[in-house]
Amino acid sequence: MPVELLGKSAEELRAFVASLGEPTYRGGQIYHALYAERRLDLAAMTNLPAALRARLAEEARVTLPRIVRRFTSVDGSVRYLFSIGGEDAKPAQIEAVFMPKEGRQTICISTQAGCAVDCHFCLTAQLGLIRNVSAGEIIGQVLVALEENREHLAPQTNVVLMGQGEPLLNYDATMAAVRILLDPKGLALSPRHVSLSTSGIVPGIERMGQEKIRPSLAISLNASSDEQRDALMPINRKYPLDVLLEACRRYPLRPREYFTIEYVLLGGVNDSPEDARRVVRLLAHIRAKVNLIPWNPGNLPYRAPEPERIEEFRTILIEKGVPAFTRYSRGQDVFAACGQLALIESASPLSAASVFLS
Ligand code: SF4
């Protein structure tokens, strides 16, 4: 079976070429071609001698996520439904979104197919956990999205690990991919531009704090009390708010680093002024900014918050010294919630295609 190269570190690629009897620096050349130059086809790695390329064609492979469907939103964002696995890994479908904006693009990627965490406002939860996504499959989503849009790429690329799955429950593969994203000799992204969002897996947060190379951390809070959070995010019963927020307080933030607190505003559920005041108290002594994300009505039994409630919530935070921003999901016309494409695809492959034009 040919060896999969995508997702391998420079060290692993050096060990691989050594096993073929080649000088180890050839591993560094493959690393450069794959990640810095995005030469995703072995034949296109013209920095390697032709004889080695011929050998690699027999002994190795580069497997990218396959695009099953792409949906282009009126706001320019593109949602991808990818198929992964098949030959030696369980087949699965995952999602990624490419969001262009003035001067930059943001790519949202998946770290698991489905998810076991069971947040009640999330469609991915309804899939259950199908399987973990490998480091190569995580990196592959970024590479395919960049290649697909190469004609109009902006200078800055942001990556958010916020698609299907809980990244900290697939820690090793996620961090292997993040190291390549952040490596100046790899994709060379800035740690400020790569963000990992967690539902609050405390052991993972503690482990992340020990990493030399790590992304920015976003905490998906979404509630102002344990009672509320238990109802929305059952993971809160395992890692309740005081445990989660204490882990944040102990986290060794670097100078100018801060947490992003994600707070989905669900109309009539967690969007009252009292909720806002409780959030202020919860975040005491935590260097954080809050992203308020108004809920988009969809297939789940929640409603959008009133515009005045959103503004009042934000004002209370700001007046108490907590930076807060209102963020609206991109690509709402092509299904805003992660998990939606895979759910629809598993129910009826034609229903999605008949609704959207790409
Ligand atoms: Fe999993 Fe994230 Fe959905 Fe929660 S919000 S169920 S962690 S994918």
Side-chain angles (χ1 to χ4, degrees), residues 26-326:
R26 296 286 184 212
Q29 289 178 317
I30 296 174
Y31 187 86
H32 180 80
L34 263 182
Y35 306 126
E37 295 189 333
R38 299 202 305 273
R39 293 184 195 219
L40 305 177
D41 180 348
L42 292 168
M45 295 186 183
T46 47
N47 56 339
L48 302 175
L52 176 55
R53 272 181 278 148
R55 179 99 192 266
L56 288 175
E58 312 236 311
E59 310 270 359
R61 63 180 190 197
V62 174
T63 313
L64 295 165
R66 295 174 295 285
I67 299 172
V68 178
R69 296 188 194 283
R70 68 169 79 61
F71 305 106
T72 305
S73 162
V74 288
D75 68 16
S77 55
V78 187
R79 300 187 69 87
Y80 295 98
L81 180 65
F82 288 123
S83 154
I84 55 171
E87 275 183 49
D88 50 357
K90 184 174 175 181
Q93 293 193 331
I94 52 173
E95 293 161 57
V97 190
F98 178 90
M99 293 166 277
K101 213 174 177 186
E102 193 65 40
R104 65 176 188 271
Q105 49 270 333
T106 299
I107 304 170
C108 175
I109 56 173
S110 299
T111 52
Q112 295 182 307
C115 185
V117 173
D118 198 25
C119 303
H120 291 178
F121 50 83
C122 173
L123 284 166
T124 300
Q126 297 184 8
L127 295 165
L129 177 64
I130 297 161
R131 72 162 166 90
N132 281 334
V133 175
S134 71
E137 290 162 343
I138 296 172
I139 285 282
Q141 296 167 66
V142 177
L143 294 173
V144 171
L146 288 173
E147 274 310 284
E148 276 263 308
N149 296 280
R150 66 180 171 279
E151 305 294 327
H152 35 261
L153 286 181
Q156 181 183 315
T157 297
N158 298 350
V159 170
V160 292
L161 298 119
M162 214 177 269
Q164 285 183 25
E166 164 52 66
L168 296 183
L169 293 181
N170 184 19
Y171 191 95
D172 291 333
T174 296
M175 283 308 293
V178 164
R179 284 184 204 107
I180 295 169
L181 291 174
L182 298 183
D183 182 359
K185 292 183 174 168
L187 272 92
L189 305 186
S190 156
R192 283 181 297 117
H193 299 153
V194 178
S195 177
L196 181 154
S197 175
T198 178
S199 58
I201 307 296
V202 168
I205 295 171
E206 290 170 345
R207 200 172 160 196
M208 180 77 62
Q210 306 307 313
E211 299 279 356
K212 271 205 203 102
I213 297 165
R214 64 181 193 222
S216 310
L217 204 50
I219 308 286
S220 186
L221 185 68
N222 308 319
S224 68
S225 68
D226 275 320
E227 192 187 5
Q228 218 177 51
R229 201 164 189 265
D230 284 351
L232 291 171
M233 303 175 73
I235 193 74
N236 194 65
R237 293 195 197 113
K238 192 161 185 190
Y239 307 113
L241 283 170
D242 57 343
V243 174
L244 170 60
L245 297 171
E246 186 51 30
C248 293
R249 279 184 203 98
R250 284 200 314 268
Y251 192 84
L253 285 176
R254 295 178 177 138
R256 293 194 293 158
E257 192 181 5
Y258 52 82
F259 289 105
T260 300
I261 304 293
E262 309 282 354
Y263 194 100
V264 177
L265 284 166
L266 303 164
V269 175
N270 64 357
D271 65 339
S272 71
E274 295 71 44
D275 286 311
R277 285 188 273 274
R278 277 198 294 266
V279 167
V280 170
R281 287 197 290 277
L282 288 175
L283 297 183
H285 310 298
I286 297 177
R287 207 189 311 154
K289 65 163 190 166
V290 176
N291 282 344
L292 299 172
I293 306 154
W295 174 255
N296 293 311
N299 303 346
L300 293 167
Y302 299 106
R303 62 178 168 81
E306 303 295 335
E308 313 79 63
R309 292 273 261 201
I310 303 172
E311 201 39 42
E312 193 179 3
F313 201 107
R314 196 176 72 90
T315 304
I316 292 171
L317 264 56
I318 288 174
E319 283 178 349
K320 297 290 182 191
V322 179
F325 305 86
T326 308

